[in-house]
Amino acid sequence: MTTTDWTLVRVLRDRRAGLCLAAVVVSGFGTSALWLASGVWVKDLTGSNGLAALCLLAMWAPALAGPALGTLADRVRRGPLLIGANLLPAALLLTLLTVDSLGRVWLLYAVLFLYGATGVVADAAQSALVATAVDPKLLGDFNGLRMTATEGMKLLAPLAGAGLYAVYGGPCVALLDAVTFLLAAGLYALLRVREDQPRRSRGSWRGHTAEGARHLWSHPRLRPLVSAGGATMLFAGLNGALVYAVVDGLGHAPAYAGVLYAVQGAGSVVTGLVSGTALRRLGGHRFAACGIALTAVGVALRAIPSDPVTLVCGAAIGAGLPCVLIAALTAVQRETPAKLLGRTAATANTLLFVPNVVGLAAGAALVGVVALPLLLPLLGLGLLAVSLPLLQSPRNADRTAARSPSDANPA
């Protein structure tokens, strides 16, 4: 058995890590099933592509308030908060059982918006709780497995959601998602983690929120990783908006994009399985830099109109892109005091993932203006430029795995 295999066994045998991972898988399945089905649902009720696209915007919009929402995870105990953050969307989703006409589409948007907001809080609370519940030496492995689980759900759940919608309709998909959140809440209820009651802090909510951003900006290891991650996700959004143009260049029907997404997802699954070992051997900065460089090569070579090349590039992008996200999240968990971890993790998530949405919008505008054989290599060069500062960091600059839990999470 390889070192990676032994590490995976250790993570999965850890009861608390296993419960956290199971909760991520269960709720992630429901979320991935709903995001596709909700757009189809609105399209069927309204006949509008634009209104259907607004479903994704409604779920993503609360991420802009991530730092403020994440502060809640530092104000209360994270375990009970996670249970509540799963029970609330379960209740909200039940209201969608009444959405059966054009006049009730507004309710779907409202639920998706609140769904996204509770998701931001839950992500912040989970990141903070995991840092306490999981052995610091296994955080990289856990985050890699979490990425593998998330990408695996993206491969399976949308198809399941679409199939369920086709047979039984949108309310049945909403009911399925509600059940997954109830199961996740039950799993978190089984988690036994010692948490002290957070101390009441003086000052405004805005001031407390800013503390997470100040910590990220002032930290010599976190700032480069999160900055590089945000820039990478911006380029990834630009690249993602070009997928149908790439498919068109290959001479295939638009449905072929599903094949490209599947190959990319498979690459991400592989990276998630080996990320813990790679983080220990390379360090966070170099692991992230190598992943960004691999993504750059994959993006640039997609300009070649060849099926085999495009599929290999898709796998390379899928394998490379998660590296900086895993490295950044793991570093935030290891390098942030426990009392700041909720708002810091939420701020990092906002800085990492919101640029992806901006990139998607910008890419949609560029695809008809700049020729694909020129645009894709330019994006590749931009990604390479992002990776260089991380490659030049000292080898021991981000060796944080050996830090003790008390160093990262003082009482």
Side-chain angles (χ1 to χ4, degrees):
M1 186 176 286
T2 66
T3 302
T4 302
D5 294 332
W6 276 116
T7 303
L8 293 178
V9 171
R10 287 175 60 196
V11 172
L12 295 177
R13 281 183 176 175
D14 186 288
R15 181 178 181 275
R16 293 185 294 188
L19 286 171
C20 288
L21 195 60
V24 169
V25 171
V26 169
S27 62
F29 182 89
T31 298
S32 296
L34 183 68
W35 75 259
L36 177 61
S38 62
V40 179
W41 196 352
V42 171
K43 169 68 174 175
D44 284 346
L45 291 174
T46 67
S48 170
N49 290 323
L51 291 176
L54 285 179
C55 290
L56 191 58
L57 177 62
M59 293 179 69
W60 265 100
L64 295 172
L69 292 172
T71 300
L72 182 61
D74 293 330
R75 292 291 192 95
V76 299
R77 291 170 57 215
R78 281 95 180 225
L81 178 61
L82 267 173
I83 295 172
N86 281 275
L87 291 177
L88 178 59
L92 290 172
L93 284 163
L94 294 179
T95 67
L96 297 185
L97 300 180
T98 65
V99 177
D100 56 3
S101 64
L102 178 61
R104 290 185 176 271
V105 169
W106 68 268
L107 180 59
L108 179 56
Y109 289 132
V111 169
L112 290 176
F113 181 83
L114 294 173
Y115 184 109
T118 56
V120 172
V121 174
D123 284 345
Q126 188 201 61
S127 293
L129 190 68
V130 164
T132 303
V134 177
D135 185 341
K137 295 180 180 179
L138 294 178
L139 279 175
D141 301 279
F142 177 88
N143 289 326
L145 285 177
R146 186 179 188 273
M147 179 68 68
T148 294
T150 300
E151 292 302 319
M153 291 305 99
K154 289 180 181 178
L155 292 175
L156 301 174
L159 294 176
L164 195 62
Y165 177 88
V167 178
Y168 298 107
C172 190
V173 181
L175 183 60
L176 169 68
D177 199 10
V179 170
T180 64
F181 275 107
L182 286 174
L183 291 174
L187 290 168
Y188 284 123
L190 294 174
L191 193 62
R192 297 290 181 262
V193 180
R194 182 182 176 276
E195 291 187 90
D196 295 328
Q197 184 67 32
R199 298 176 182 177
R200 290 186 174 273
S201 303
R202 295 181 179 180
S204 66
W205 192 282
R206 181 179 179 181
H208 294 156
T209 298
E211 290 178 357
R214 282 198 296 269
H215 177 71
L216 283 177
W217 181 253
S218 62
H219 200 288
R221 285 179 288 275
L222 298 183
R223 184 175 64 198
L225 275 174
V226 174
S227 298
T232 300
M233 293 304 289
L234 175 65
F235 283 112
L238 288 164
N239 175 66
L242 307 179
V243 64
Y244 290 105
V246 170
V247 170
D248 187 56
L250 294 172
H252 293 293
Y256 189 73
V259 177
L260 301 186
Y261 284 129
V263 171
Q264 184 169 325
S268 297
V269 167
V270 171
T271 291
L273 293 174
V274 302
S275 60
T277 301
L279 274 170
R280 283 187 288 274
R281 293 182 178 178
L282 297 174
H285 284 68
R286 295 195 175 201
F287 174 59
C290 290
I292 297 171
L294 180 60
T295 304
V297 173
V299 168
L301 292 182
R302 287 176 83 178
I304 300 174
S306 162
D307 276 19
V309 171
T310 301
L311 292 173
V312 171
C313 288
I317 293 168
L321 194 57
C323 296
V324 67
L325 302 178
I326 294 171
L329 177 59
T330 303
V332 166
Q333 291 172 317
R334 287 174 174 163
E335 300 285 338
T336 304
K339 63 181 181 180
L340 290 176
L341 191 46
R343 69 201 97 164
T344 303
T347 301
N349 283 335
T350 296
L351 294 174
L352 288 171
F353 293 109
V354 169
N356 187 250
V357 181
V358 176
L360 284 168
L366 287 173
V367 67
V369 178
V370 183
L372 207 61
L374 174 63
L375 186 54
L376 287 170
L378 287 176
L379 293 180
L381 287 174
L383 283 164
L384 280 176
V386 171
S387 71
L388 290 178
L390 295 177
L391 281 172
Q392 293 169 356
S393 64
R395 185 173 178 81
N396 62 350
D398 50 8
R399 291 301 187 110
T400 58
R403 290 166 56 88
S404 69
S406 60
D407 292 334
N409 298 306

